[in-house]
Amino acid sequence: MVSISSTWVPLFLGALAARSYGCSTDSDCSLNGVCRDGKCDCDSGWMAGDCGVLRLSPLPPASERVYSGAIWPNSTLSSSWGGNIVQIDGHSELYVSEFTHHCGLSTWQSNSRVVHATASQLDGPFIGDSNVVLPPFAHNANPITIPACGPNPGHIAVFHVGDGDGRTQRVDCHNGTTPPSTRSASRHGRRETGGGQCKKTDFSAPIPLNKSIRIPHSSSPRGPWAEAVQSCVGPGLSTSESFGCPHFSNAAVLVLANGTTLLLHSGCPGSQSNGFNVAIGETWQGPYRPAMGLDARGQNAWYSPSINTSAAGGCTDPFIWMDPRGRFHALFHCHWPNQGDRGGHAFSEDGLSWTTSMTIPFGAAVPLTDQTNVTYEARQRPHLVIDQSTGVAGVSPSGSPLALITGTKALNKDPNAQLPWMTGCKSDMEPNCDKSFTQMQLIEK
């Protein structure tokens, strides 16, 4: 594997190198290392004085530089927006969000679906087998392998945003971009987006189960897929019967050895600046209850954040895992003040009390092996491929990080990497400018 040299390190690491670090506890090392003699000894996959930066390998330049590290889609005529991999029997099983009818990122609420592809190596090439896990609208694929304790052990469960109702889609796209249009795609559905009601203040009424999100799961990477209904406690933390769940936007889950599940979510749309919320389930299917219990009015505190991200500009798209020492971590992307979209990281000893790091774990600049960088408009939806063989037994996901996967916008700041038809684009949300793909960077030990 190629070693990182200082020439290839993204610009934000220069500022980190200029800082003076010292430590008195492992928390000063972002729980990504051990404090020894006043200095942090970083774990596999992490670096910098406080062990807060992912040790990402440079990417070989692709024939079209913009697509360096692209793992999906397997055609440049389409677009996709992130996902993750579970490793089973020596194969990498990818569950990824892609857009139908060759559309771009701006159609994510109408054309996004979750599909499966497989590879014999971690970084591909991935082969699609027309296995649609969920039709549109389904987004932010977040697969995990269910451990031994709890329902359906050994199954793959794919958490996601959306209801998979097969809604009306844009069909007039090309090259993975979306042309201008005077019409909007229909947003009807049999269940509300993401499951449940999305009210920030009123949870005094029970949420019916038919408003709760369904989680596809299967004993085989290719399906067939059954659906598990996600359940939650009722008003006042009532457990008298099964209730539906509120809107768990961009849910990420960590299943512990006893089956207890931590669900991390970013709440209602527009509430990203409030931080991340934690719900605790008896199993990965629920019933879930808010970690913060009841609010001052005696209502379920579903949207009372356990992770405050305001100093990082507000964050979204969490991924949660346990490291080999049994400590809790979350990776996400933030809208950093004066810096734009960059990665974010939080850590915890117990999964309930969290610290948000002010060190950026990954940036918008991706180093290449020719000692140059491509700086993208944004890299979002971060997920880590986790080496389960190094993790805590019975916990999923748990272990050391093997790779970073992001949804990456093709629009970038490198004239040599810009796609020809996007040279005049000022924003990735302009017509014909919303090209995106799913990108992987391997992580060095």
Side-chain angles (χ1 to χ4, degrees):
M1 185 174 292
V2 179
S3 297
I4 291 179
S5 81
S6 58
T7 307
W8 299 328
V9 173
L11 295 179
F12 72 87
L13 288 183
L16 290 177
R19 295 186 195 173
S20 176
Y21 283 101
C23 65
S24 56
T25 71
D26 291 354
S27 291
D28 297 326
C29 306
S30 312
L31 295 185
N32 282 325
V34 177
C35 182
R36 292 191 175 99
D37 300 323
K39 294 184 179 180
C40 291
D41 183 7
C42 298
D43 292 337
S44 175
W46 297 92
M47 64 180 183
D50 65 348
C51 304
V53 178
L54 285 165
R55 189 180 290 274
L56 296 167
S57 294
L59 293 171
S63 56
E64 292 182 277
R65 289 172 60 86
V66 65
Y67 294 124
S68 299
I71 59 171
W72 200 261
N74 54 12
S75 166
T76 58
L77 300 179
S78 299
S79 282
S80 69
W81 192 238
N84 206 359
I85 288 168
V86 293
Q87 294 184 301
I88 299 175
D89 297 330
H91 285 78
S92 294
E93 308 293 349
L94 172 67
Y95 299 88
V96 63
S97 305
E98 71 170 16
F99 307 112
T100 59
H101 302 293
H102 305 290
C103 288
L105 179 59
S106 63
T107 68
W108 71 273
Q109 287 186 292
S110 60
N111 287 51
S112 179
R113 66 181 182 179
V114 175
V115 299
H116 165 254
T118 189
S120 59
Q121 299 183 47
L122 175 58
D123 55 352
F126 286 88
I127 300 173
D129 52 11
S130 301
N131 179 19
V132 177
V133 180
L134 280 168
F137 163 62
H139 198 58
N140 195 19
N142 190 5
I144 68 166
T145 302
I146 305 302
C149 191
N152 309 112
H155 279 214
I156 298 167
V158 184
F159 288 78
H160 60 93
V161 176
D163 50 21
D165 63 349
R167 63 185 58 188
T168 303
Q169 303 157 50
R170 286 286 297 264
V171 296
D172 56 341
C173 304
H174 63 279
N175 286 340
T177 63
T178 311
S181 176
T182 57
R183 63 179 177 82
S184 298
S186 170
R187 295 186 180 179
H188 70 278
R190 68 177 185 273
R191 298 185 292 276
E192 294 185 27
T193 299
Q197 64 193 46
C198 191
K199 298 179 181 179
K200 300 178 185 178
T201 58
D202 182 14
F203 290 102
S204 58
I207 301 172
L209 272 177
N210 66 359
K211 288 291 185 179
S212 201
I213 200 167
R214 272 72 167 165
I215 308 299
H217 62 95
S218 175
S219 60
S220 166
R222 299 187 69 253
W225 300 94
E227 289 187 337
V229 179
Q230 196 174 63
S231 65
C232 284
V233 299
L237 306 180
S238 171
T239 57
S240 60
E241 59 180 286
S242 294
F243 299 92
C245 294
H247 185 95
F248 289 156
S249 181
N250 300 319
V253 298
L254 172 68
V255 184
L256 304 181
N258 64 358
T260 300
T261 301
L262 296 186
L263 185 149
L264 196 61
H265 67 101
S266 51
C268 288
S271 64
Q272 295 176 5
S273 60
N274 296 335
F276 294 110
N277 314 282
V278 175
I280 303 172
E282 294 181 11
T283 74
W284 65 273
Q285 297 179 10
Y288 288 94
R289 58 181 174 84
M292 302 298 285
L294 299 174
D295 62 19
R297 298 173 301 154
Q299 295 181 356
N300 293 350
W302 293 113
Y303 299 149
S304 296
S306 296
I307 304 178
N308 187 326
T309 62
S310 58
C315 307
T316 188
D317 303 343
F319 172 78
I320 184 172
W321 79 101
M322 179 179 283
D323 70 22
R325 291 191 183 89
R327 301 183 292 197
F328 299 79
H329 298 267
L331 189 72
F332 34 86
H333 87 262
C334 302
H335 312 294
W336 288 89
N338 303 316
Q339 298 188 71
D341 280 5
R342 303 290 189 273
H345 172 236
F347 51 91
S348 171
E349 292 275 10
D350 60 7
L352 299 176
S353 298
W354 291 79
T355 299
T356 300
S357 173
M358 288 296 99
T359 297
I360 297 174
F362 68 91
V366 175
L368 305 181
T369 54
D370 63 2
Q371 303 189 30
T372 63
N373 294 299
V374 177
T375 301
Y376 293 94
E377 182 74 14
R379 300 169 73 200
Q380 300 179 358
R381 304 280 187 200
H383 291 82
L384 293 177
V385 183
I386 297 296
D387 182 0
Q388 285 286 146
S389 68
T390 64
V392 177
V395 178
S396 180
S398 177
S400 300
L402 294 173
L404 170 68
I405 296 178
T406 60
T408 300
K409 297 179 180 180
L411 188 63
N412 65 84
K413 299 178 182 179
D414 181 354
N416 296 320
Q418 203 69 271
L419 293 170
W421 68 86
M422 294 178 63
T423 53
C425 294
K426 304 298 182 183
S427 164
D428 57 274
M429 288 293 103
E430 293 177 5
N432 302 313
C433 297
D434 57 344
K435 181 79 172 177
S436 63
F437 61 96
T438 299
Q439 186 177 50
M440 175 190 286
Q441 271 186 279
L442 296 179
I443 295 174
E444 293 192 345
K445 296 182 179 179

